[in-house]
Amino acid sequence: MATISFSHNHQSSDNRRGGTHHHRHGPVVEEIEGLIKVFNDGCVERPPIVPTVSPTLHPSAKATAFDIKLSNDTSVRVYVPDAAASPSVTLPLLVYFHGGGFCVGSTAWSCYHDFLASLAVKTRCVVVSVNYRLAPEHRLPAAYDDGVSVLSWLVKQQISHGGYSSWVSKCNLSNVLLAGDSAGANIAYQVAVRVTASGKYVNSLNLKGIVLIHPFFGGESRTSSEKQQHHSKSSALTLSASDAYWRLALPRGASRDHPWCNPLVISSAGAKLPTMLVFMAEFDILKDRNLEMCRVMRSHGKRVEGIVHGGVGHAFHILDYSSVSRDRIHDMMCRLHNFIHP
């Protein structure tokens, strides 16, 4: 799959009622097995492939978490590590976008909940995990718009000292990072491009860095790693799933060389972006594309640190529980800590 195997809160009305009569919706026009079906009449089914959990954390987690609804379509799950308990302590703020090919996924998925709770504690930062609108009901740029809206909301929380000021006061908004995995990494990148190009929040949020974990980009021309399908068994993302996600997420009629899919088609891509940390995986079909992006960004004078984890595939940090994966996750956490606290 093109970003993580998940299911999301945004389900069709038939999903919510439970029990769907396929013949009522006509033939299936797009399907990624186990993740999403799109029917001819526009109905969308997302099987509950990943358990969803409440924000409650065990005391041993050394953090607290809670959900905040921002609108009918967007919400956030906030993770505050116990390290922020001291009144004099403020911590970096990391805004995180989950993966799922823009089409599936949720802040409530157990795999994301566990990973981000651990990340908040091990990297000593407050994490805001974003639930954004999903395609195909809401094609791009809806997810990018939601990301920018969350940043605007954070600024307003700081200014208004409203109902959530107690946790906002723990955030150092002069040290803000955008992060995500797979499609979420694409969103983090595109939101950062928008914010830095406009300068809209430059006086309120100091964007210090961007963290891209297995970023989901594409293009009409295939890379070598995209052609090597024999790696697909070791990775959560296949080329066919990737293509399907792009067909569902991009504006109708757009090709995979649209700048939202292939940002390198724009010569000035990321011109004003801050330092970037890019994680890649040996068996990910996106590896070569991600390596090329790092190379191009460096050629434009950007500071980019690229890390390739061996022996693992796409989204291993949330989907793979092997001993090899655990070792790579430990390395990822250490590198994230050092990037956030240079």
Side-chain angles (χ1 to χ4, degrees):
M1 68 181 180
T3 12
I4 299 183
S5 28
F6 308 130
S7 63
H8 194 283
N9 294 350
H10 301 324
Q11 297 178 339
S12 70
S13 58
D14 282 328
N15 281 23
R16 291 192 294 267
R17 288 194 294 267
T20 301
H21 301 293
H22 294 184
H23 67 275
R24 294 188 311 168
H25 304 297
V28 174
V29 293
E30 287 282 5
E31 179 176 9
I32 301 170
E33 187 175 0
L35 290 168
I36 188 170
K37 284 184 180 181
V38 181
F39 292 87
N40 189 56
D41 68 351
C43 177
V44 179
E45 286 187 358
R46 296 180 176 90
I49 192 170
V50 175
T52 57
V53 296
S54 76
T56 304
L57 292 170
H58 191 273
S60 63
K62 299 181 181 179
T64 57
F66 48 89
D67 291 336
I68 304 173
K69 184 176 181 179
L70 307 187
S71 70
N72 289 335
D73 297 310
T74 59
S75 63
V76 295
R77 179 165 291 190
V78 180
Y79 300 85
V80 182
D82 292 351
S86 171
S88 61
V89 171
T90 60
L91 298 177
L93 172 64
L94 186 144
V95 180
Y96 195 94
F97 300 92
H98 67 76
F102 306 104
C103 297
V104 297
S106 169
T107 59
W109 278 1
S110 58
C111 51
Y112 276 117
H113 181 65
D114 295 343
F115 175 72
L116 293 177
S118 176
L119 187 152
V121 172
K122 293 178 178 178
T123 65
R124 289 175 54 84
C125 66
V126 176
V127 176
V128 173
S129 178
V130 181
N131 242 2
Y132 49 86
R133 287 173 292 170
L134 298 178
E137 300 95 326
H138 306 281
R139 290 175 178 265
L140 296 175
Y144 306 151
D145 294 341
D146 292 345
V148 173
S149 293
V150 167
L151 296 185
S152 176
W153 171 78
L154 286 167
V155 170
K156 291 175 182 177
Q157 293 303 303
Q158 181 193 34
I159 294 172
S160 67
H161 299 291
Y164 301 103
S165 61
S166 59
W167 74 266
V168 174
S169 67
K170 299 297 182 183
C171 302
N172 178 4
L173 295 189
S174 66
N175 191 359
V176 177
L177 300 99
L178 298 183
D181 60 79
S182 199
N186 177 302
I187 296 168
Y189 174 85
Q190 296 290 355
V191 170
V193 167
R194 284 191 178 192
V195 171
T196 54
S198 69
K200 187 174 182 181
Y201 303 113
V202 68
N203 295 321
S204 306
L205 295 175
N206 189 353
L207 185 58
K208 284 292 186 68
I210 305 169
V211 178
L212 307 181
I213 303 175
H214 314 155
F216 184 41
F217 295 115
E220 286 297 310
S221 297
R222 303 298 194 189
T223 65
S224 294
S225 60
E226 287 172 338
K227 296 174 183 177
Q228 292 171 356
Q229 286 293 294
H230 62 277
H231 284 330
S232 63
K233 291 186 291 185
S234 306
S235 185
L237 177 60
T238 65
L239 192 59
S240 61
S242 173
D243 289 349
Y245 281 130
W246 285 121
R247 287 194 297 270
L248 293 170
L250 286 171
R252 293 185 185 279
S255 77
R256 291 192 306 274
D257 279 333
H258 189 288
W260 294 339
C261 178
N262 185 4
L264 299 185
V265 298
I266 300 176
S267 59
S268 60
K272 297 182 179 180
L273 294 179
T275 303
M276 296 172 60
L277 175 61
V278 182
F279 290 104
M280 295 160 275
E282 180 184 6
F283 298 147
D284 188 357
I285 65 169
L286 301 176
K287 182 189 69 173
D288 288 351
R289 195 171 294 281
N290 294 164
L291 285 168
E292 175 65 6
M293 183 172 188
C294 291
R295 186 193 67 78
V296 171
M297 296 296 284
R298 291 189 189 109
S299 73
H300 291 170
K302 309 310 298 182
R303 291 179 57 192
V304 180
E305 180 181 358
I307 308 298
V308 180
H309 285 118
V312 287
H314 189 76
F316 73 87
H317 60 296
I318 58 165
L319 299 177
D320 185 349
Y321 303 103
S322 68
S323 60
V324 172
S325 179
R326 288 196 296 270
D327 288 343
R328 305 300 184 265
I329 293 170
H330 175 75
D331 178 77
M332 179 183 286
M333 289 293 187
C334 291
R335 293 179 184 276
L336 282 166
H337 181 276
N338 293 339
F339 184 74
I340 295 169
H341 303 277

